[in-house]
Each structure stands twice: as structure tokens, then as C-alpha cells.
Amino acid sequence: MNLGLKALAIATAALALAPAAYAGDATAGAKVFKKCKACHKVGPKAKNGVGPNLTGVVGRTAGTEAGYHYSKSMVAAGAAGLVWDEAKIAEYLVNPTKYLRSYLKDPKAKAKMGFKLRKGKDRENVAAYLATFSN
């Protein structure tokens, strides 16, 4: 195999093994996020409300937004290493309490958030939207 073909084969294999880019649509997510605005805010001047400020949530350790009083389970998830990324946010939005119970392996864990976003594409889009407010 010549050097050019070998390099192409290596590059192709590396791409095949790389994780897929997250498929959410931030523009569509902005529309879906309207359902979340009663409790959550995003943006440069956003503050905590019923739910924590979600500016910078992607890359943030769970349960650590300053000034917000999280459930003991969410704080425990952060202490156990949960750091939010788009995929984890989308999975959490299916059923927040079930997610924490699974993550913590604790059948009594509870999330303060009772809202569930059932449509997969909506969850992916909201996660992509939130990522636009993170580094």
C-alpha cells in the first residue's frame, strides 16, 4: 500500500471511531426552550429562578450553579462526577428523577424538576440551544 493510501485508510478509520457530533438544531431548540422559560433562564443577565440559570450548563458539574438550592440528589450526582454535556442533558430531560436514580444507583434519588420533554428531537435541540450559551 502506498503512503497516500495508507494515510487515507488511517484517517478513515479514525473518523469511524470518533464519536458522532451531536445532532441537535439550536435554532429549533430556542423555540422548544420556550416551554422551559417559566423556570429557567439563559443569557448574559440570566439569574436563578424556580430552576437554576442554565447559562454555561454544558461543561458544568451538576448541582453547582451559585446561589441555587439543588436537591440533595443533584448535588450528590455532581459530587459523583456528573458533568453536563449535550447528550446527558437530552437524556436527563426524558425523566429527571429516573435519570438521577440511574446515575446514582439510588432508587430514592429525586430531582426537583418534574417537567419531562419526551420527544427525542426536542431534547436534542434544547441541548444544542443550551450549548450556545456555554464555552
Side-chain angles (χ1 to χ4, degrees), residues 46-121:
K47 297 183 188 226
N48 294 325
V50 173
N53 168 14
L54 295 179
T55 303
V57 70
V58 174
R60 181 189 304 156
T61 299
T64 62
E65 174 62 19
Y68 185 75
H69 182 71
Y70 288 93
S71 70
K72 290 179 184 177
S73 298
M74 185 62 76
V75 172
L82 178 58
V83 176
W84 295 116
D85 62 24
E86 290 177 63
K88 289 174 186 163
I89 290 168
E91 189 178 342
Y92 176 80
L93 291 172
V94 174
N95 184 325
T97 291
K98 187 175 177 181
Y99 182 89
L100 289 177
R101 287 177 178 174
S102 174
Y103 188 85
L104 294 169
K105 297 173 182 46
D106 177 358
K108 295 182 180 180
K110 290 186 181 179
K112 289 174 76 173
M113 185 170 129
F115 179 78
K116 299 171 186 172
L117 194 55
R118 301 232 185 243
K119 291 183 182 176
K121 204 60 178 166

Side-chain angles (χ1 to χ4, degrees), residues 18-32:
Y22 205 74
D25 176 344
T27 302
K31 293 175 186 169
V32 178

